[in-house]
Amino acid sequence: MPETPSQVPAGHPFRRKGRGTDGLIKFFFASNAGLTIVILVLIIVFLVREGAGFFPDYRKELDLYRKSGLELIDIPRKDLTAHEQMSSLLNRAYYAQVNAACRTEMLRSQEASAVMSYLGEAVAPAQSALQRVTENAGDAGVPPELQQSLTAKYKALVADGLAGKFGDGVPPTPHLAPEERAQLLAAFEARDPLSSDDPPLIAALQEQLSAKQAAAGEPLASFREAIDAFADASVNLDTLVMETGDTVKATKAAATLHEIEVTKRDTLLEASAKAKSSELRQQLETEARESVTTEAVDFATSLQPVLDRLPEFTAANAELATAINDVQPKLPAKLEDGKADRYLSTFRKAAGEYTNEISDTTAAMQAWKYDVPVGLGATIWGFITGRDWITGGEWQDFYGIMPLFTGSAIIAVIALTLAIPLGVGAAIYTNQLAGRRQQNFIKPVIEFLQAIPSVVLGFLGIAVLGTILQETSMKDAFSWVPGFPIQQRLNMFTAGCLLGLMAIPTIFSLSEDALNNVPSAFAEASDALGASKLQTVFRVICPAAISGILAAVLLGLGRVIGETMVVLLVAGNRIEIPDFTEGLGVFFQPAHTLTGIIAQELGEVPFGSVHYRALFVVGMVLFIMVLGINWTAQRMLHKFRIGHD
Amino acid sequence: MRTIIRSAAASLFAGAMLAATAGAQTISIKGSDTLGAKLVPQLSESFSSKNKGVKFEIAAEGSSTAFPALANGTAHIGMSSRKAKPEEITAARAKGIKLKEVEACHDMIVVVVNKGNPLKTLTKDQVAKIFTGQVKDWSEVGGAPGPISIYTRNTSSGTYKDWQGLAMKGRNYASGSQKLAGNEQIAQEVAKNKNGIGYVGLAYAKSNGIHDVTIDGVQPVAANAKKYAYSRACYYYIPENADATAKAFVDFAIGAEGQKIAQRLGFVPN
């Protein structure tokens, strides 16, 4: 392409160096754009390169997991876990019933302890100072004036505490008689400053509680027996799993050790090739020669003792099947306490599923083969649909992103539920209904929200929002809300609220732009037909801008999915698929997210390890998700654009 | 002539560098949060009050961060609440760094529950069952009814791994456990959640809002270090060819004075 002659008039400073100057300027900007694209490509290449190595490595790990027999033991281990869950349900039912019967005694004991711990905290500063001084005094004893001043301080604190001047005041004790309360306070007042013994009343109350519990347990004795029998049924399987587990773990350890030694030799040889002095080189070479001390593991031989015990596994499995059949008729038909009865009916419902699960174990164990290679496809599929993200364990690491994905998704849903009505509503109001002065106020204020650093919002979430939500949820008036009272201060709801706050400015600005872009002819035509202002807004302008608004929402979603700091600080970091059986209460559970796991674990994993690469793959998944969202947003903007062409 | 000028310039430059480093020497210490949050900062303070001009950089982000930092030469001393793994030692060795292991002090991992929890004692078996998720409700171990919320350290922590070995026979943590970054955070969350349970180093067991739990009848106090089920040694790792100040600091830390500081902070001296 021939160079076009410069448009710059003669004599202009750009002209001074001839035609080259504006060419240079053009080159400068073109190279900037080019550089940006190159950097972007480099980032993608880096991500793919670091991540792509994950699947072969993970496959190798899974292969070792299979070959050394861990996979085989995991089959009965699942049954064991299921059995534990079932026993736990029965136990919870039993204790709920017993405790319901001794509610008063329990409250009395708790109230008394609460009073003591309140008083203990009130005097703690002086008491610990006294203790420290006495401990460090040695033979000379504590200087009398120090002793005196500290004791005086202690006495003052005792008086303040008894008068309820510390913190929220002495906790109320509605279930204790006034004289009991007085007795408690008196015992505390008379207590030696150095002692932290509880008054005898506390022990007495505890005893009353235990007696009452024992009495409440009496009519349930046969239930208790049935529970214990059921719980004990797993003893044989437990020992078997423990013993064979040790064997296969040893196999895996030996195989890993051998591999480490081989790698060590290779690394040392590599280092010696690069070593600067001949002395160091020789030293490294000697070390390399000595580093391989073990032989490669023969998996078939080391697995044989485990396979030999398969009949024992079958027997132990049969015991579980008998136990679940035996326990069912022995369970009480109904428990008086509502909660206890719920646990019991959950047990009954789960029993069928449990029986199914243990019935196919033996067949699965017999059909299991150690030498079937793990496919790459299965590895990838396992990563995408895996329900466990277990790292740093001694048994086996699993990388499954399902729990992280659900965490991210639920938080995004909460955030968008909050941000869409607020962001779009505010945009409609500001653009269509508000006066100029209001517009000039609202727009910059909402956009300012975007300027708050996310880590500051995270602090706000921990210190203020989480605590307020938790405390509010304790109020009886809100007990009808599913999931209340909130157990965990850090949960998905708090995180979702904060992320919603962060998405509002994005959604607001872009929706506002979309509304602005609706040609004024639309509104004028509507006015001309005699429509009211609201009719024009909701029947004409909003439908015309809907593509832009949808794109705004999608970009808001992209922002929510990609945000890290807030979820890391506030979401509670529990790697588990939330329990959907709780209905709407699911929103108040803690969770971990795709972004959060990268931020939390990347700093701590050894460079180049499987775990490190797994985090890169998670990053790639995120990248693809956000890319998809943005692409859809762009498509939407273009496809449904009206009145522009 | 030219070579003389060059070598003179080089030696001048080297001298200047030496003088600069001697003027304000910085020792970088990385690794365990258990050691690095309270003990090492106090040790370093008392060390620099005696050795003017020595500055410390302390990053306590978990034991696993110590070894890569030592191997890359970005840390002079590593802190760890567990022993180094063979591959970690090899990785450092391959880069020409031989690590020396020094026992820092002993620490006890204390089980803590919310102040409002009436439960004062647990058995080892119960603790294992709680942290592996076999027991889900406080009433099952003799407490007031309520679902148990488990707080653990994150996976980089040496305490996380130690706990798995000491308390859970190597089994996996309950999937419902929440992973937190440090001892302080665990203490804070347990203090905020009346059904919470977690484990912290002995030095953190006296925080507000929580109380420790007696295990198998042994109270977690320094005097019981030998009897207590969950005690372990903590280590410093230092390259064999480390500079004199770093070595002097480690000697100070394991010497009488350093051990006294450790004891004051709730660690158990060697």
Side-chain angles (χ1 to χ4, degrees):
Chain A
M1 204 173 97
E3 186 96 346
T4 45
S6 168
Q7 299 293 315
V8 183
H12 189 276
F14 277 11
R15 228 18 220 281
R16 206 162 290 156
K17 279 182 185 161
R19 292 173 53 191
T21 318
D22 59 337
L24 264 177
I25 292 167
K26 203 170 139 195
F27 174 74
F28 174 71
F29 286 108
S31 60
N32 277 0
L35 194 64
T36 318
I37 292 172
V38 168
I39 291 174
L40 205 70
V41 169
L42 279 180
I43 290 175
I44 295 172
V45 167
F46 173 70
L47 253 182
V48 172
R49 204 195 57 186
E50 290 295 315
F54 166 72
F55 289 109
D57 285 359
Y58 183 36
R59 181 186 175 188
K60 225 193 272 168
E61 267 199 11
L62 286 182
D63 212 39
L64 179 60
Y65 165 69
R66 177 168 291 173
K67 272 196 200 131
S68 51
L70 265 68
E71 193 182 44
L72 177 68
I73 307 304
D74 257 348
I75 302 172
R77 246 162 62 121
K78 285 212 176 70
D79 291 351
L80 212 51
T81 319
H83 181 262
E84 280 160 8
Q85 307 284 353
M86 297 295 274
S87 314
S88 172
L89 270 174
L90 285 183
N91 267 319
R92 274 184 273 172
Y94 173 83
Y95 286 112
Q97 178 63 39
V98 168
N99 286 329
C102 11
R103 211 176 117 75
T104 324
E105 282 74 14
M106 193 168 273
L107 284 173
R108 278 159 61 81
S109 173
Q110 280 170 5
E111 281 164 10
S113 306
V115 168
M116 284 314 286
S117 83
Y118 163 81
L119 292 172
E121 241 166 80
V123 301
Q127 193 177 35
S128 58
L130 264 173
Q131 265 161 359
R132 241 192 344 264
V133 166
T134 324
E135 269 167 30
N136 296 340
D139 299 331
V142 184
E145 58 271 31
L146 184 61
Q147 173 89 38
Q148 244 168 18
S149 75
L150 281 179
T151 316
K153 176 100 178 85
Y154 174 82
K155 290 232 168 86
L157 285 178
V158 169
D160 277 0
L162 291 176
K165 280 184 197 160
F166 170 82
D168 299 333
V170 185
T173 49
H175 297 87
L176 289 181
E179 55 271 17
E180 281 174 319
R181 185 182 166 100
Q183 189 189 337
L184 259 183
L185 297 183
F188 181 79
E189 200 176 6
R191 194 171 83 175
D192 183 72
L194 284 177
S195 122
S196 57
D197 297 338
D198 283 334
L201 182 63
I202 298 270
L205 286 172
Q206 190 63 46
E207 228 163 79
Q208 277 174 23
L209 175 61
S210 317
K212 181 78 189 196
Q213 270 171 336
E218 246 164 57
L220 297 171
S222 65
F223 182 29
R224 181 73 253 169
E225 242 168 64
I227 297 175
D228 287 340
F230 179 68
D232 287 343
S234 74
V235 169
N236 283 334
L237 186 60
D238 203 10
T239 349
L240 259 178
V241 164
M242 190 69 88
E243 286 169 8
T244 50
D246 286 344
T247 318
V248 294
K249 245 176 13 186
T251 313
K252 189 187 172 194
T256 321
L257 180 68
H258 182 72
E259 206 176 309
I260 287 175
E261 284 179 343
V262 171
T263 328
K264 181 178 177 182
R265 187 185 58 199
D266 296 347
T267 358
L268 287 175
L269 283 178
E270 210 177 290
S272 82
K274 284 188 209 146
K276 286 191 188 84
S277 70
S278 64
E279 193 185 336
L280 183 64
R281 184 175 313 140
Q282 265 180 358
Q283 202 187 337
L284 285 171
E285 266 169 19
T286 331
E287 264 183 58
R289 269 198 300 281
E290 289 163 358
S291 52
V292 177
T293 55
T294 52
E295 304 228 332
V297 177
D298 177 16
F299 292 106
T301 333
S302 54
L303 206 56
Q304 203 48 52
V306 178
L307 291 174
D308 288 343
R309 298 184 78 168
L310 277 187
E312 286 178 60
F313 274 108
T314 313
N317 185 263
E319 272 178 58
L320 288 190
T322 335
I324 184 82
N325 287 331
D326 283 355
V327 76
Q328 289 192 62
K330 284 188 205 153
L331 298 179
K334 188 169 166 42
L335 288 170
E336 278 160 42
D337 183 58
K339 205 167 162 195
D341 205 48
R342 268 203 302 285
Y343 282 131
L344 203 59
S345 59
T346 315
F347 178 86
R348 287 211 177 89
K349 263 185 230 144
E353 208 179 305
Y354 171 74
T355 317
N356 280 341
E357 198 176 319
I358 52 175
S359 64
D360 54 15
T361 303
T362 316
M365 286 183 81
Q366 272 154 357
W368 180 85
K369 290 266 180 308
Y370 81 98
D371 46 3
V372 183
V374 181
L376 191 60
T379 314
I380 296 174
W381 185 244
F383 179 79
I384 296 170
T385 59
R387 301 171 67 88
D388 300 300
W389 181 278
I390 301 170
T391 55
E394 287 187 16
W395 181 257
Q396 171 68 32
D397 287 357
F398 290 105
Y399 307 94
I401 58 169
M402 223 43 204
L404 307 171
F405 182 80
T406 39
S408 281
I410 293 178
I411 291 177
V413 166
I414 299 169
L416 287 188
T417 322
L418 192 79
I420 293 174
L422 287 178
V424 176
I428 293 173
Y429 177 77
T430 325
N431 192 267
Q432 294 294 323
L433 306 171
R436 183 143 295 277
R437 292 181 69 185
Q438 277 181 324
Q439 271 185 13
N440 286 344
F441 174 70
I442 297 176
K443 272 208 291 195
V445 167
I446 293 188
E447 270 152 22
F448 174 73
L449 260 180
Q450 201 145 24
I452 303 176
S454 57
V455 69
V456 174
L457 273 181
F459 277 140
L460 188 84
I462 293 181
V464 185
L465 189 61
T467 314
I468 289 181
L469 276 175
Q470 197 186 27
E471 275 166 14
T472 319
S473 74
M474 305 256 179
K475 297 221 165 72
D476 288 341
F478 290 109
S479 58
W480 53 272
V481 181
F484 274 30
I486 300 174
Q487 288 289 335
Q488 313 279 356
R489 192 165 61 116
L490 308 177
N491 59 51
M492 291 191 269
F493 185 75
T494 324
C497 286
L498 289 170
L499 287 185
L501 211 59
M502 296 178 72
I504 286 174
T506 311
I507 295 180
F508 169 81
S509 304
L510 294 170
S511 309
E512 222 250 0
D513 282 351
L515 290 167
N516 238 350
N517 282 340
V518 176
S520 54
F522 282 38
E524 284 156 13
S526 173
D527 283 344
L529 288 173
S532 71
K533 180 71 186 163
L534 282 182
Q535 278 173 329
T536 308
V537 170
F538 289 107
R539 302 269 175 84
V540 179
I541 310 264
C542 287
I546 194 72
S547 66
I549 293 176
L550 280 178
V553 168
L554 281 178
L555 290 173
L557 173 67
R559 181 159 166 70
V560 167
I561 292 274
E563 165 54 37
T564 309
M565 205 61 216
V566 167
V567 286
L568 188 62
L569 288 173
V570 183
N573 300 349
R574 183 172 82 178
I575 310 176
E576 189 182 45
I577 296 182
D579 181 9
F580 286 100
T581 56
E582 280 190 32
L584 287 175
V586 77
F587 294 125
F588 298 102
Q589 292 173 12
H592 220 316
T593 61
L594 293 166
T595 49
I597 200 90
I598 300 179
Q600 192 176 37
E601 296 188 345
L602 195 59
E604 66 194 42
V605 290
F607 182 82
S609 66
V610 180
H611 188 178
Y612 169 87
R613 289 179 191 280
L615 295 175
F616 269 87
V617 181
V618 175
M620 267 165 66
V621 170
L622 262 173
F623 184 76
I624 292 167
M625 276 169 66
V626 177
L627 204 69
I629 291 171
N630 281 359
W631 183 76
T632 322
Q634 294 287 342
R635 289 279 305 202
M636 241 172 212
L637 265 178
H638 286 289
K639 196 162 184 183
F640 302 110
R641 192 172 259 192
I642 342 167
H644 287 269
D645 31 32
Chain B
M1 189 61 197
R2 193 176 264 179
T3 44
I4 296 175
I5 294 175
R6 262 194 200 161
S7 58
S11 56
L12 256 178
F13 179 70
M17 288 296 285
L18 261 179
T21 47
Q25 193 174 11
T26 308
I27 298 183
S28 159
I29 308 179
K30 289 189 183 166
S32 159
D33 170 71
T34 306
L35 289 175
K38 275 186 188 169
L39 175 61
V40 173
Q42 295 237 0
L43 286 171
S44 63
E45 219 168 87
S46 122
F47 185 78
S48 32
S49 70
K50 291 199 188 74
N51 301 271
K52 290 278 176 281
V54 180
K55 285 206 181 95
F56 287 90
E57 259 172 34
I58 299 165
E61 286 153 354
S63 302
S64 294
T65 58
F67 305 102
L70 283 168
N72 298 335
T74 49
H76 297 108
I77 301 174
M79 314 174 269
S80 177
S81 56
R82 61 170 168 84
K83 276 192 177 257
K85 290 185 209 154
E87 60 261 37
E88 285 166 339
I89 291 175
T90 319
R93 186 72 194 105
K95 296 201 172 166
I97 292 170
K98 220 177 211 172
L99 291 178
K100 203 171 88 177
E101 176 186 289
V102 180
E103 229 172 74
C105 56
H106 283 76
D107 183 29
M108 295 159 80
I109 310 180
V110 179
V111 180
V112 291
V113 295
N114 187 277
K115 197 103 197 168
N117 194 329
L119 204 81
K120 298 272 189 292
T121 61
L122 283 172
T123 63
K124 254 190 101 163
D125 188 46
Q126 283 173 329
V127 170
K129 281 189 168 158
I130 289 175
F131 279 91
T132 53
Q134 293 179 49
V135 164
K136 293 184 178 311
D137 198 284
W138 281 110
S139 59
E140 291 176 63
V141 288
I148 300 178
S149 305
I150 306 163
Y151 296 96
T152 74
R153 296 286 306 282
N154 55 20
T155 41
S156 72
S157 147
T159 314
Y160 178 91
K161 295 246 167 62
D162 279 350
W163 186 252
Q164 215 167 22
L166 284 171
M168 293 153 62
K169 295 178 202 141
R171 292 187 56 178
N172 283 325
Y173 282 88
S175 59
S177 60
Q178 283 178 260
K179 297 186 168 62
L180 302 177
N183 285 302
E184 296 278 8
Q185 276 97 320
I186 290 184
Q188 252 176 44
E189 285 310 314
V190 173
K192 288 275 180 194
N193 183 347
K194 76 177 167 53
N195 291 322
I197 186 169
Y199 52 77
V200 293
L202 183 60
Y204 303 85
K206 293 286 173 231
S207 311
N208 281 337
I210 57 173
H211 72 75
D212 52 21
V213 176
T214 302
I215 306 293
D216 277 343
V218 184
Q219 227 202 332
V221 291
N224 287 340
K226 295 264 150 51
K227 278 189 286 175
Y228 188 67
Y230 313 129
S231 48
R232 46 132 190 213
C234 299
Y235 304 91
Y236 299 118
Y237 282 87
I238 179 167
E240 268 190 352
N241 54 353
D243 66 54
T245 325
K247 276 186 181 153
F249 175 72
V250 171
D251 287 340
F252 169 79
I254 57 169
E257 205 172 331
Q259 292 291 306
K260 209 167 170 188
I261 294 175
Q263 191 174 15
R264 201 181 67 223
L265 288 175
F267 290 95
V268 183
N270 285 330

